[in-house]
Amino acid sequence: MYDLLVITGPTATGKTALGAEAARMLNGEVISADSMQIYRGMDIGTAKPTPEEMRGVPHHMLDVADPREDFSAARYAEMAAACVEDIRSRGKLPVVVGGTGLYIQGLLRGTEFAAAPGDSGLREELEAEYDREGGEAFREKLRAVDPERAEKLAPGDKKRLVRAMEVFLLTGETITDHDARSRSVPPRYTAMTLALDFRDRETLYERIDRRAARMFEDGLAEEVRGLLDAGVPLEGTAMQAIGYKETAAYLRGECSLAEAVELVQRRSRQYAKRQLTWLRRDGSVRWIRWEKEPDIRSVRQFSTDFPVERP
């Protein structure tokens, strides 16, 4: 017996539609696992499900944060777990839908996340040190305390390099050791995980390109302008999302509209590759590989694995 169902995969593979249909058939409710759909006012660029796409199924973990704030994976895991418990307490099936692997992993495993920075100012000091000395020199300092993590990170990956050094200085434990210890803990929930993809990679890329172009047609530039006018900082987490960062550059006159669209398309394809790489590491994932279009009727293939009362 599974505690919940997970529907994941790269962008533009039909997760939203399949998730809503699965929840409708299996007496369930959807919990979003998208690191940008949590932000209010970020609808077009995140492909946040519309009321029509929700098909009358309750959806959780949408619009739960202000785009001016940073929202951590630890906070997501805590809030999403509360949603899981509430849904299960009412005899329904939690259906987790989204492509943010770290969020899903944290929810399922009950991961103990590395210490947050608090108000010590350490992160700002380390960021200034990185800017002053350069990425390569900073990585060498990390290598002295956590060679395994330093080897995995590029000199230009400022955010993760700073975070790795910050965790060590705050806790005395490296992120490598912390992650190994977390993996040894039994998972909090048992889940059937379905990963969506297309048999032909070009089909996926064509869908990604069409989606990106449609976002601009639907008013992505106006959405980003509204966020900036409302005081959402350019350097904040929300504005680093694919689609928002490039559109903000267009609005500042740093590139043309056509260049912004092309950048969003290219970075979305690159992100899809990373999502697939993440999923292939998990041997328990069940893959659904579409032909040219998602076949939402496929939900019936796994519905018998969840012996819950149908609505």
Side-chain angles (χ1 to χ4, degrees), residues 19-254:
E21 177 64 9
R24 191 188 66 80
M25 287 186 59
L26 300 172
N27 189 28
E29 297 183 10
V30 170
I31 301 172
S32 172
D34 185 295
S35 63
M36 293 300 154
Q37 290 184 358
I38 59 170
Y39 290 116
R40 291 184 286 274
M42 295 177 62
D43 302 331
I44 298 171
T46 66
K48 194 175 294 178
T50 64
E52 293 75 20
E53 290 171 325
M54 293 182 189
R55 302 192 62 189
V57 173
H59 280 57
H60 306 268
M61 296 305 294
L62 298 173
D63 299 325
V64 297
D66 188 286
R68 299 171 189 83
E69 65 179 303
D70 289 336
F71 195 95
S72 67
R75 186 176 169 194
Y76 171 83
E78 178 183 359
M79 294 177 66
C83 294
V84 169
E85 296 305 321
D86 173 60
I87 293 168
R88 295 183 70 202
S89 73
R90 292 183 279 108
K92 293 177 175 289
L93 175 71
V95 181
V96 178
V97 180
T100 303
L102 186 61
Y103 277 22
I104 296 171
Q105 177 180 281
L107 171 61
L108 297 184
R109 295 201 59 84
T111 303
E112 175 193 342
F113 287 87
D119 298 320
S120 67
L122 177 59
R123 179 173 296 180
E124 290 76 12
E125 293 177 15
L126 291 172
E127 289 175 343
E129 180 181 338
Y130 177 99
D131 294 338
R132 184 172 61 252
E133 299 186 5
E136 190 60 59
F138 193 94
R139 187 172 70 159
E140 287 307 307
K141 287 190 175 183
L142 177 63
R143 193 187 303 278
V145 297
D146 189 354
E148 185 174 337
R149 184 53 55 99
E151 187 63 31
K152 292 179 179 179
L153 299 177
D157 195 346
K158 175 181 176 180
K159 181 177 180 179
R160 290 181 175 84
L161 286 168
V162 166
R163 177 66 175 144
M165 183 63 79
E166 175 190 38
V167 168
F168 175 74
L169 293 175
L170 284 173
T171 68
E173 180 183 43
T174 66
I175 277 191
T176 297
D177 290 341
H178 173 273
D179 289 351
R181 180 165 52 81
S182 297
R183 285 192 295 269
S184 68
V185 177
R188 172 168 46 189
Y189 300 116
T190 59
M192 176 191 287
T193 300
L194 303 177
L196 310 185
D197 193 12
F198 287 87
R199 294 192 184 281
D200 179 12
R201 187 51 42 82
E202 287 308 310
T203 300
L204 173 61
Y205 290 167
E206 288 169 4
R207 287 176 61 87
I208 289 172
D209 286 352
R210 288 200 303 270
R211 170 181 280 189
R214 188 167 60 250
M215 285 176 175
F216 282 90
E217 294 169 2
D218 290 344
L220 179 58
E222 289 72 23
E223 180 171 277
V224 174
R225 182 180 290 110
L227 292 166
L228 294 172
D229 289 346
V232 177
L234 283 170
E235 65 277 8
T237 301
M239 275 298 163
Q240 302 310 304
I242 295 174
Y244 291 84
K245 185 175 183 178
E246 298 80 5
T247 304
Y250 158 67
L251 293 174
R252 296 196 305 273
E254 297 174 6

Side-chain angles (χ1 to χ4, degrees), residues 14 17-19 21-22 25 55 290 293-300:
L18 184 58
E21 177 64 9
M25 287 186 59
R55 302 192 62 189
W290 313 117
E293 294 290 335
D295 179 11
I296 305 306
R297 293 172 299 177
S298 302
V299 70
R300 302 184 185 278

